[in-house]
Amino acid sequence: MSIARFLLGSAVLAFGLPAYAAPEVVPEETTASTAPQANRATVTDADHQEIGANIIVTGSLHRPKEDLLGGTTVLSGEALTRSLRPTLGDTLARQPGVTSSSFGPGASRPILRGLQGDRARVLTEGIGSFDVSTTSVDHAVAINPLIADRIEVLRGPAALMFGPSAIGGVVNVVDSRIPRRLPEEPVHIDGIVGYGSAADERTASGSVDVPVGGKVVLHADGSYTKSDDLKTGGHILAEPQRRAAAASSDSDIADLANLSGTLPNSSAETWQVAGGAAVVADGGNLGFSVSHYDTNYGVPVRYATEPGEEAEEVRIDMRQTRLDMRGEVETGGFIDRLRFRGAIADYRHQEIEDTGEVGTTFNSQGLEARLEAQQAVRGGWRGTTGAQMLIRTLNVVGEEKFLPRNETQQYSVFTLQSAEFGALRGELSGRYERTNLVAQPDADLGNSRLERSFNAFSAAGGASIGLGNSGVRFGVSLSHSERAPTAEELFANGPHAGTQAFEIGDVNLGVERSNGVEATLKGGGDGFDFSLAAYHNWYDGFIYEQPTGELEDGLPVFQYQQVDARFYGLEAEASARLAQFGSTNIVVDGVADYTHATIKDGGPVPRIPPLRLLGGIEAQGALAQGRLEVEHVTKQDRVAANETETGAYTLVNASLTLKPWGRDNPTSLLLSANNLFDVVARRHASYLKDYAPLAGRDLRVTARFAL
């Protein structure tokens, strides 16, 4: 992918040439809905935001948070500092409706409402991450949470504006690499250092912004994280695998039954560096950034406990170089503002075997660009219309490649319109997307040239109404989404060392369609707030990967299939002030989420997380905050064929945040203890849950500062 191609694609969008692309709706400066953890965060200069605490931005539409039809969660400030982990999935894992793929400490991706991969888009500043994390769960997301000012999770119908593949939701990481405003100081510095005991994790990151000449801002940032093998609370293998290992006549396999404590091959080392610049004026801004991301991490071993199975110890060496651009200009008239966002990236990762040889290499180049036209507000009517394009090439080489060289092109158009009629507020959106996928001939995989094209149309609409003067709003929305299958789902046919599975696609897969309904009830007042959401989605042609129970090349076979399915669930969160002593508030909060997913005439969908309950109590003072919380995850015994059950677990966490210069100053020191009782915990959504438990007791120290 060349710079010239990127600029050409940008020109196509900017000057309206006939290429259709749907812009991602970027909640650039979203603040928390009623998420208790997010709601406690204080927005400071360190967040580089100037938006009110009760305002939601969906794309370029500023609205009060209670108006948003779908659920939204935002982590920023102290809540983000407390939740920070080396991966995006683990950073967000305690948010409502979110869990993590937990494929070891180096590669944990967010799972939204039980949906993962291509159905849960991960973005940075509204543009895709340009990695191959949707290709396989062992592949890390090329976004480092350490550089985030805020992390936003948008679920429900509004997430369709990020693309029809985002029915599960969207995770958007907002950073300051392309500055949005002029710092007041001659030099503005943000930094964070931390240590975690469970993996002997050492972390440091920092950023610098310098204003030049009154309108130009220069930016630089860097980060480094190194961790050893993860310490767990007990046995590495789950009980059924321990029994199978103990019964083996092979002494090496039998010894696995006693493997405990440290999770082998789970260490990681990650560094990142970036630079950017922007011109910031009253009528708009224009800027760019260049970044390089580099990580080397181990993939926990899926140990062989049965005859004929093979186990490999694989490390992944990943690097990505990326160029981002962003521009915005006020135009006046019916179109009040134009926004452009684009990026181009070169990505490569190698899967290194225990012999030191490179088994498989993934090379990917990507281009994504979006243009948005924001309408001037007229009465209660406002909206945004735009276009987006995405081009990605992927080439897998090596003895264990499972995909032929392929290219994906997507061109889309979209619109989002909203209107207010007194207490009633409505929203209507639509998106059309054209996708073309081409796989080149590959003698090793036995395929000729393959090409598939898909047209997908998605739409969502709904309304909310205020219930008197109570501060409570009730909303209902309907959605229809259509998702084209990915290259992995169509063309896979081979062994994959990272997931230790033999993956088989289906070139005859069709468009996946979903119809959904969601109801929300949100409200708040003096010292309390709450949010309830219930959703139901009906899938026509749901695509999923199902273990067949067979072995190929010593690996379990996973086959992509397409069936009808039904998902429904709920999310609830609330917080309330119990008491106040001077400037100190005592606050209680809670989160609950549940997803139920069934394949028509086929039983449960695999890897669906069970019911989770989380409750906490917190003392919030001007100079210190203390928190104690308990998270309980129930047993998951509603499992698919060839899937094992996962036991219940309860985690107890505590933290103390010190603010030596006051609540509004970004400098803080966080002391936390996670999984205080060293419990063995396994996430049901993880492919490796029976071979890689979560971290045991983890004592953490994190210092954050701004100068």
Side-chain angles (χ1 to χ4, degrees), residues 229-385:
D229 286 345
L230 184 71
K231 298 180 183 68
T232 72
H235 287 101
I236 300 302
L237 299 187
E239 184 177 352
Q241 283 67 37
R242 294 203 308 274
R243 290 198 303 266
S248 176
S249 58
D250 187 319
S251 60
D252 291 336
I253 293 179
D255 289 343
L256 295 176
N258 300 316
L259 186 64
S260 64
T262 301
L263 181 63
N265 197 44
S266 58
S267 63
E269 184 174 15
T270 302
W271 65 272
Q272 188 173 32
V273 64
V279 178
V280 181
D282 292 339
N285 59 78
L286 177 66
F288 74 96
S289 69
V290 179
S291 61
H292 180 80
Y293 181 88
D294 195 300
T295 184
N296 184 295
Y297 62 92
V299 177
V301 181
R302 184 186 183 279
Y303 289 101
T305 58
E306 298 289 343
E309 292 184 346
E310 292 185 4
E312 297 186 53
E313 188 172 291
V314 177
R315 295 195 66 83
I316 291 183
D317 183 33
M318 177 215 291
R319 61 192 63 179
Q320 182 192 77
T321 301
R322 172 173 173 145
L323 169 66
D324 286 83
M325 294 179 62
R326 185 182 69 226
E328 179 176 337
V329 61
E330 294 181 6
T331 56
F334 178 74
I335 301 300
D336 179 65
R337 187 178 297 266
L338 291 174
R339 287 186 171 95
F340 170 77
R341 185 76 169 87
I344 183 173
D346 183 76
Y347 172 98
R348 187 223 72 182
H349 90 235
Q350 295 178 325
E351 299 185 352
I352 303 171
E353 300 174 355
D354 53 8
T355 61
E357 298 178 351
V358 176
T360 309
T361 299
F362 288 72
N363 295 293
S364 179
Q365 293 79 42
L367 158 69
E368 189 170 354
R370 180 183 75 244
L371 181 67
E372 293 181 354
Q374 178 183 329
Q375 301 159 206
V377 178
R378 296 178 179 271
W381 173 40
R382 52 189 171 180
T384 297
T385 300

Side-chain angles (χ1 to χ4, degrees), residues 670-686:
L670 171 68
L671 309 173
S672 64
N674 302 284
N675 192 1
L676 271 168
F677 298 106
D678 210 22
V679 170
V680 177
R682 304 175 190 273
R683 290 199 175 104
H684 187 75
S686 171

Side-chain angles (χ1 to χ4, degrees), residues 78 172 312 337 504 516:
E78 296 157 17
N172 187 41
E312 297 186 53
R337 187 178 297 266
I504 302 176

Side-chain angles (χ1 to χ4, degrees), residues 627-673:
R627 176 175 175 81
L628 178 67
E629 68 179 23
V630 179
E631 178 182 10
H632 178 71
V633 178
T634 62
K635 178 181 180 180
Q636 181 57 289
D637 54 7
R638 189 175 184 274
V639 295
N642 302 308
E643 184 183 22
T644 59
E645 297 182 357
T646 305
Y649 61 87
T650 301
L651 304 179
V652 179
N653 309 311
S655 65
L656 174 65
T657 302
L658 304 178
K659 305 279 289 185
W661 288 282
R663 179 179 298 172
D664 295 332
N665 190 290
T667 300
S668 65
L669 177 65
L670 171 68
L671 309 173
S672 64

Side-chain angles (χ1 to χ4, degrees), residues 506-545:
D506 184 350
V507 72
N508 295 313
L509 294 175
V511 170
E512 178 183 273
R513 295 180 173 86
S514 171
N515 295 305
V517 59
E518 181 168 359
T520 59
L521 187 67
K522 302 179 182 181
D526 183 20
F528 77 95
D529 57 26
F530 68 92
S531 176
L532 305 173
Y535 58 91
H536 198 138
N537 292 312
W538 294 265
Y539 284 89
D540 178 10
F542 179 77
I543 301 171
Y544 76 109
E545 197 176 20

